[in-house]
Amino acid sequence: CILLLFVFSFGLCGLGILLSTTIRQEERWSLSARLLELVLIRSSTAMYPIFAMPVWFQVLTKMNPVTYAAESTRAITSQPLPTAPGIDILIVLLFSSLVGILGITMYTRRVEGGGTE
């Protein structure tokens, strides 16, 4: 469970790097980062169960990577396992890999000034 959250934190760091390399002004970046944080947390199942949400909001919740991190953590730590956390873990790994690679690529292009050698 700790390893999964560690990998997920790399994805969130990649998302932050991706956002920060596209926004130059610190005030705009801070506002954008807090807004993204608010949307990611509040539209996930980390605080609210999905069955208590309206149907249109459930669709947004299923596109949120925090939902899969929360659900897989909940599935791993509960006894007995209510569901197999395999697909949730796979989505977290894919999200972290994709956003991490995009963040590294964008950082290399914008800040470092070119490709890797």
Side-chain angles (χ1 to χ4, degrees):
C1 182
I2 292 173
L3 181 63
L4 178 71
L5 293 176
F6 187 70
V7 169
F8 185 65
S9 69
F10 277 118
L12 291 179
C13 287
L15 189 61
I17 291 170
L18 190 63
L19 184 66
S20 67
T21 56
T22 57
I23 300 173
R24 294 291 180 190
Q25 295 176 344
E26 184 179 351
E27 294 83 16
R28 286 185 183 177
W29 177 83
S30 180
L31 179 65
S32 300
R34 297 306 155 251
L35 183 63
L36 180 65
E37 177 184 326
L38 177 74
V39 169
L40 284 175
I41 295 295
R42 296 294 179 174
S43 68
S44 71
T45 58
M47 294 185 176
Y48 311 110
I50 197 165
F51 61 84
M53 299 177 186
V55 175
W56 65 270
F57 202 66
Q58 289 178 9
V59 174
L60 294 174
T61 301
K62 291 182 181 183
M63 295 186 312
N64 189 343
V66 178
T67 295
Y68 296 102
E71 291 298 319
S72 60
T73 302
R74 194 173 290 124
I76 291 170
T77 57
S78 65
Q79 294 290 340
L81 291 175
T83 60
I87 190 74
D88 295 335
I89 292 173
L90 181 65
I91 291 173
V92 168
L93 291 173
L94 287 173
F95 166 76
S96 296
S97 300
L98 179 69
V99 175
I101 289 170
L102 284 173
I104 290 169
T105 304
M106 190 66 108
Y107 178 82
T108 303
R109 289 185 182 166
R110 294 270 178 138
V111 177
E112 297 290 326
T116 58
E117 298 180 35

